Amino acid sequence: MCGRYSLFTSTEDLRERFGAEPTRPLEARYNCAPGQELPVVTNDAPDEFRFLKWGLVPSWADDPKVGNKRINARAETVDRKRSFADAYESRRCLVPADGFYEWAKTEHGSKQPYRVAFEDDRPFAMAGLWERWKPQTKQTGLGEFGSDGPSREQEPLETFTIVTTDPNDLISELHDRMAVILAPEDEATWLHGDPDEAATVLDSYPDDELTAYPISTRVNSPANDAPDLIERVEV
């Protein structure tokens, strides 16, 4: 599972790394959480960082709250599970990050958070899917002096999910799943390849360049979003 991540790399470095321009200002984030609008690079706009809500809502869903349960998609079934199959076919994205968090069980039964990142903290892309959901109902606006004005359609909701796979040796000590980290040379294949080609880049990323270390349990709350969250703690 990937349920939190960080993205504090400077805007200039992200522009250079991904060749994309943000559609609104990027802010340093140390605790990206489900339900938040976060920058992604979609296959239909690969030169932009667009802001989509984390938690995929399929186009056919009746209630957008289903996105709360779809923050991750399993690589093994993403091509045939109803919630993700259409997006896998034609709506893939890159989810930029410079680290993600996993929680490992301790001998006392509690969970200790760990930060996983490249040793040099360089940014990377996680494989993602995105979707556009449009409500079937119309929202009625109030006209002048409180009278009913013309009805207007609600704005479409754009959402994303992060694809996960089996863990490498490093992550297996913490969790039984990990986010799919894409090698830079595989990012174009993920965005623009056909489904069979895309499937070839969903392997576990080698652990020889990654590091994992314990961090404060303050990361447990999405309300906490500060640089000290990524500092190593003693356990």
Side-chain angles (χ1 to χ4, degrees):
M1 179 178 180
C2 178
R4 301 288 177 79
Y5 64 93
S6 64
L7 183 63
F8 53 82
T9 301
S10 71
T11 299
E12 187 56 41
D13 286 347
L14 288 173
R15 284 194 185 106
E16 182 177 353
R17 168 63 177 78
F18 291 98
E21 189 69 25
T23 57
R24 70 188 195 211
L26 294 170
E27 299 179 358
R29 299 294 306 276
Y30 298 87
N31 198 4
C32 300
Q36 298 174 349
E37 288 190 346
L38 300 164
V40 302
V41 176
T42 60
N43 60 323
D44 67 339
D47 58 351
E48 295 180 346
F49 290 110
R50 297 170 55 200
F51 287 77
L52 277 60
K53 187 175 180 179
W54 186 7
L56 189 138
V57 180
S59 60
W60 44 262
D62 293 327
D63 186 346
K65 292 181 181 178
V66 300
N68 298 336
K69 300 179 180 179
R70 292 177 172 86
I71 66 170
N72 290 161
R74 295 176 68 92
E76 298 87 343
T77 58
V78 72
D79 61 338
R80 57 185 185 274
K81 189 169 183 179
R82 186 186 179 209
S83 298
F84 306 120
D86 286 348
Y88 178 72
E89 180 78 24
S90 57
R91 287 179 293 279
R92 302 184 212 117
C93 64
L94 307 178
V95 182
D98 42 37
F100 61 88
Y101 306 123
E102 294 292 358
W103 279 256
K105 291 182 180 180
T106 70
E107 59 183 10
H108 305 295
S110 59
K111 289 189 176 182
Q112 171 62 49
Y114 283 76
R115 180 170 184 259
V116 180
F118 284 97
E119 293 183 357
D120 59 1
D121 273 336
R122 68 179 182 269
F124 55 88
M126 298 182 288
L129 307 173
W130 70 279
E131 190 58 271
R132 182 179 289 114
W133 178 84
K134 192 173 183 179
Q136 300 301 311
T137 58
K138 291 185 177 181
Q139 185 176 18
T140 301
L142 293 178
E144 193 174 5
F145 305 117
S147 63
D148 287 342
S151 62
R152 58 183 175 85
E153 292 187 356
Q154 290 178 264
E155 290 294 319
L157 175 64
E158 294 187 325
T159 59
F160 75 94
T161 189
I162 295 171
V163 182
T164 66
T165 189
D166 290 331
N168 58 30
D169 289 343
L170 176 69
I171 308 301
S172 65
E173 299 294 323
L174 309 175
H175 202 276
D176 60 1
R177 304 292 294 175
M178 70 174 290
V180 172
I181 299 174
L182 297 168
E185 61 269 22
D186 291 336
E187 292 170 6
T189 299
W190 176 248
L191 280 183
H192 306 298
D194 64 35
D196 289 339
E197 292 169 332
T200 66
V201 303
L202 294 180
D203 296 327
S204 305
Y205 197 88
D207 60 5
D208 53 352
E209 299 177 76
L210 297 171
T211 184
Y213 59 87
I215 58 173
S216 169
T217 54
R218 291 183 63 248
V219 77
N220 294 357
S221 172
N224 297 322
D225 192 347
D228 64 343
L229 293 183
I230 67 170
E231 295 178 0
R232 182 188 295 266
V233 299
E234 296 298 324
V235 295

